[in-house]
Amino acid sequence: MATNKIKWLRLELTNACNFDCSYCTEQYMTRKKGFMDIKLAKKIIDEVALTKISDIIGFQFMGEGLLHPKFNEIISYAKEKNVKCKLVTNGSLLTDDNIHNIINSSVQELYISYFTSDDHSFKIRHAKGIDYTEYQKRVRNMIRKKIETKSSTRISIGLLNTKYSFLPGMDGMDNTQKIRDDVISLIHFIKDIEKRSGVASPDQDITEIERHEDLLENYTFAINSDISVVFIEVGTWANQFLIRNGIKITKSINGHCLNPFEQLFVAWDGTCTCCCLDYDCSMVVGNANQNSIADIWNGDRYKTIRDAMKRKELVEEYCQTCRGKIDLFSFLRKANVKKLSRMLLNRKKLKYLINRGWKRFNFIQNEKTS
């Protein structure tokens, strides 16, 4: 039996999305598109309410959860069962009705994948039916309503930095000064709403943002106790982006990862995986339609993966690729030369890469690559 609760229990309400972002694996997903049966969602909520196997349910994985036609019914049911929820959304569907439903539900954490800070960078998201002006308006309206209603929902706003990403189509968010300006504008917007709503919060040291030269390494800036901005670097989705762009990866059979000890993701059709990066559910650990979450969490598939991890062995092919070595020669052939030069001239980024990145490169050509 696993002795710990599930730290990250996530339900994929749908893997359909109204965006087609260049940095997302939506473009590579082969799984059929669909929506989670509300009976399955309620079944899992009931189990969490009864067993407390997880402290919170997150509505996230692939897709945009607010597209689910019964989203409001699902979060209302979670509130009825006193189950805390987290919602991850791209923010485009934050209409007045959805904002009202979120504020009056059990959604305690809201993560908005805002990511792009201007009209130019917004274009790489290939949004359907909405432009950047309307998009920004909806996100800010969510923040305004949260403050005005004194809602306890905590909001995190994700901003993506592609300054040092070498992959094609990943050059939309390179201007860190523009990102800073957008955050400062947001801070002033929030402070103005707080003042007009009679809500007091300490002034933040805006110069702190300036001290983070490139806004990298998952830096979080708290605007107030309930609203934060999270700066993240674009990832490679377990090296899948690199492979898709012709960069060779030598699989590794040795390594360790905390995901199987902390995560359980339920896809819309009930298929379960133990990794947040397994967008196509290649590492199936069970099916929530057939078994309880507890049985899956404590089942043989999880045990096999965990036991191997404890020995620093990787038994899943997806894990072996994720922890694999990047072939330096194919990387240099595909890399954006301009960005590579920029990185090499930046002492801070070069030190970061040396400490955390170069160990992932394979300097010897190897036939066993993906």
Side-chain angles (χ1 to χ4, degrees):
M1 294 285 288
T3 57
N4 297 324
K5 288 184 176 182
I6 305 172
K7 185 176 182 180
W8 309 107
L9 175 58
R10 301 296 184 247
L11 273 60
E12 178 189 73
L13 297 183
T14 179
N15 60 342
C17 191
N18 58 335
F19 281 23
D20 187 15
C21 303
S22 62
Y23 49 80
C24 180
T25 51
E26 163 80 12
Q27 57 194 302
Y28 304 137
M29 195 192 313
T30 60
R31 285 192 289 133
K32 179 182 176 181
K33 299 293 177 67
F35 296 88
M36 182 174 284
D37 190 315
I38 192 169
K39 292 180 181 178
L40 176 58
K42 288 183 175 181
K43 170 180 177 285
I44 296 172
I45 291 170
D46 284 340
E47 182 178 351
V48 172
L50 179 65
T51 66
K52 313 298 182 186
I53 193 168
S54 183
D55 292 330
I56 189 168
I57 292 178
F59 298 117
Q60 69 175 111
F61 189 17
M62 303 301 298
E64 171 54 50
L66 287 174
L67 285 172
H68 198 290
K70 295 186 177 180
F71 173 79
N72 184 42
E73 186 176 346
I74 292 171
I75 60 174
S76 297
Y77 188 76
K79 181 178 181 179
E80 178 186 328
K81 294 295 182 175
N82 200 28
V83 172
K84 299 175 183 177
C85 297
K86 175 180 180 177
L87 172 65
V88 176
T89 173
N90 62 36
S92 65
L93 298 177
L94 289 173
T95 60
D96 287 341
D97 285 345
N98 280 334
I99 290 172
H100 173 80
N101 292 336
I102 290 169
I103 286 175
N104 291 282
S105 72
S106 60
V107 176
Q108 298 210 341
E109 299 178 30
L110 176 67
Y111 183 95
I112 303 174
S113 303
Y114 190 74
F115 289 166
T116 46
S117 59
D118 56 23
D119 183 64
H120 169 69
S121 58
F122 187 70
K123 290 176 181 177
I124 72 170
R125 305 188 74 179
H126 308 291
K128 299 176 180 69
I130 189 171
D131 59 21
Y132 179 71
T133 300
E134 178 62 22
Y135 176 69
Q136 183 187 57
K137 177 182 175 182
R138 291 186 181 186
V139 172
R140 290 198 171 194
N141 193 37
M142 173 73 230
I143 295 170
R144 181 175 62 82
K145 291 288 182 65
K146 178 262 186 299
I147 295 171
E148 289 177 347
T149 61
K150 297 179 174 57
S151 166
S152 61
T153 301
R154 296 186 297 276
I155 299 178
S156 297
I157 302 164
L159 281 172
L160 202 61
N161 189 334
T162 63
K163 187 173 182 178
Y164 295 111
S165 174
F166 311 109
L167 299 178
M170 299 284 189
D171 54 358
M173 295 155 282
D174 292 356
N175 190 335
T176 48
Q177 187 55 55
K178 176 65 184 72
I179 296 174
R180 287 191 191 93
D181 292 344
D182 196 57
V183 173
I184 291 171
S185 171
L186 180 63
I187 292 171
H188 290 319
F189 169 79
I190 290 172
K191 293 303 178 183
D192 181 60
I193 298 297
E194 287 179 337
K195 183 178 180 180
R196 289 192 280 115
S197 302
V199 178
S201 70
D203 290 332
Q204 300 299 312
D205 181 9
I206 296 178
T207 60
E208 181 185 334
I209 299 177
E210 298 290 342
R211 292 196 291 271
H212 286 259
E213 180 183 355
D214 291 313
L215 304 177
L216 300 174
E217 303 173 25
N218 292 331
Y219 163 55
T220 299
F221 179 82
I223 298 176
N224 61 32
S225 59
D226 282 342
I227 305 175
S228 299
V229 177
V230 182
F231 302 94
I232 60 174
E233 284 188 88
V234 64
T236 68
W237 282 89
N239 284 333
Q240 297 301 313
F241 264 124
L242 302 184
I243 295 170
R244 299 280 183 167
N245 283 279
I247 297 172
K248 296 179 180 179
I249 303 293
T250 303
K251 295 175 184 176
S252 174
I253 60 172
N254 300 115
H256 186 271
C257 179
L258 289 175
N259 289 0
F261 300 90
E262 298 181 341
Q263 300 182 358
L264 194 160
F265 283 75
V266 185
W268 70 268
D269 62 354
T271 302
C272 297
T273 178
C274 59
C275 177
C276 57
L277 301 176
D278 186 16
Y279 61 92
D280 247 347
C281 294
S282 61
M283 295 189 292
V284 178
V285 293
N287 192 297
N289 286 302
Q290 302 164 2
N291 300 101
S292 69
I293 294 299
D295 285 344
I296 295 169
W297 181 244
N298 298 315
D300 291 339
R301 280 286 287 139
Y302 259 109
K303 185 177 186 303
T304 298
I305 297 171
R306 289 180 187 130
D307 288 347
M309 288 286 183
K310 291 174 183 177
R311 300 190 301 270
K312 300 192 182 305
E313 295 176 7
L314 303 175
V315 293
E316 298 294 318
E317 184 177 1
Y318 200 81
C319 300
Q320 293 171 358
T321 301
C322 178
R323 289 293 189 262
K325 296 286 186 179
I326 303 170
D327 177 74
L328 178 64
F329 302 100
S330 62
F331 171 79
L332 292 176
R333 284 196 298 269
K334 298 292 182 177
N336 183 314
V337 176
K338 182 179 178 181
K339 287 191 176 185
L340 184 61
S341 301
R342 178 194 296 165
M343 179 201 70
L344 295 174
L345 292 173
N346 185 298
R347 291 178 60 190
K348 179 180 177 182
K349 181 60 183 178
L350 184 57
K351 182 179 179 181
Y352 171 77
L353 186 65
I354 290 172
N355 288 340
R356 297 181 59 185
W358 283 116
K359 63 184 180 180
R360 296 191 59 202
F361 284 102
N362 181 13
F363 289 85
I364 301 175
Q365 297 278 13
N366 194 314
E367 294 294 329
K368 297 180 181 179
T369 52
S370 297

